Amino acid sequence: SVVKEHIGRTVIRSVHALSYLQAQRLMDGDDPGTETTLAHTGKPVPVALWAEMREALRGLDVVAQLRLRFRRSGGAISLESGGEFKFRLDAAHRPDRVNQKQQLPIHGTIAELMILANQCVAQATLHTHPTSALLRRHEQPPLKKLQRVLELAHQANFALDASSNVALAASMQRAQAQLEEPVFAALNAALTRAMSEAKYVVAAQVSDFAHFGLGIQHYTHFTSPIRRYADIIVHRLLLSDPERVEGRDP
């Protein structure tokens, strides 16, 4: 569990911007190399930084794995679909190739740390704004929607327990180990379609804030204010707390 946290206005001085692939190579003990990209990431990493960055990345990965284990114990459900796809267009702007984005362990590391940040902020805003905090709630899917998933599992001679998110997550882990890959993929896809949509809620509107899929009691969106308006609202809630206004721009 988190022992201590600090939420405040800060300036981060970055010594280098790593691409995901470079970060993964460093964690694996390899030369980070370079990537051909138009973005600010992927440029050569000074050798003098390798050891320090590798140690920091591996430390973050340890934290992420501990947090993932904690969420799974609370019933977190993994519905990975195999990654994103990118289409290449020809001169006539028609798709002529599709590539699957390479999924690296570092992607899961960063995702887990973002979930942790969002969870901590959700708890903080709920404490300071018990009626107006903006949270992300994910309800348990109705049994009617899960019925098709249970039927598919039965056809595969697998007993799926959907009585709770903890039981469902454990069952899906067993299914992945016992069923053939195409069968499990079909079962996983059916479960994804059966899931309820997560919704933004104001704290005063509901009494249960739990996020069924993530297996945690409090969650919000905080980490992407450049692309989600909900995150901006959460940032404003944080800044409206008198304990955090010091240093705020006039």
Side-chain angles (χ1 to χ4, degrees), residues 44-193:
V45 183
V47 177
L49 297 177
W50 289 11
E52 184 178 1
M53 295 179 97
R54 180 175 291 119
E55 182 181 3
L57 286 166
R58 288 176 174 174
L60 290 174
D61 186 58
V62 169
V63 173
Q65 294 305 316
L66 289 173
R67 292 300 303 178
L68 177 59
R69 192 181 309 163
F70 173 79
R71 288 198 305 108
R72 282 179 173 168
S73 69
I77 298 174
S78 175
L79 297 174
E80 298 175 359
S81 58
E84 301 176 3
F85 291 89
K86 290 186 176 182
F87 293 86
R88 192 185 72 175
L89 305 181
D90 60 17
H93 301 287
R94 291 174 299 194
D96 68 351
R97 177 184 291 182
V98 59
N99 295 313
Q100 187 174 13
K101 182 178 178 182
Q102 183 183 9
Q103 291 297 301
L104 303 169
I106 189 65
H107 286 112
T109 300
I110 300 304
E112 197 62 42
L113 295 174
M114 291 176 71
I115 291 173
L116 176 58
N118 287 332
Q119 180 184 11
C120 289
V121 169
Q123 294 168 339
T125 54
L126 187 60
H127 175 72
T128 57
H129 300 78
T131 60
S132 59
L134 181 66
L135 304 172
R136 186 76 168 163
R137 182 191 187 198
H138 185 220
E139 296 182 273
Q140 181 174 350
L143 183 58
K144 183 178 180 180
K145 286 189 174 184
L146 286 174
Q147 192 59 42
R148 176 57 180 162
V149 185
L150 296 173
E151 291 173 0
L152 280 176
H154 180 71
Q155 292 172 11
N157 295 317
F158 184 82
L160 189 68
D161 185 353
S163 58
S164 68
N165 60 340
V166 176
L168 182 58
S171 283
M172 289 299 289
Q173 288 184 27
R174 290 195 301 273
Q176 187 172 18
Q178 297 176 23
L179 300 177
E180 295 183 2
E181 196 278 331
V183 177
F184 175 76
L187 186 65
N188 197 55
L191 180 58
T192 301
R193 290 192 295 270

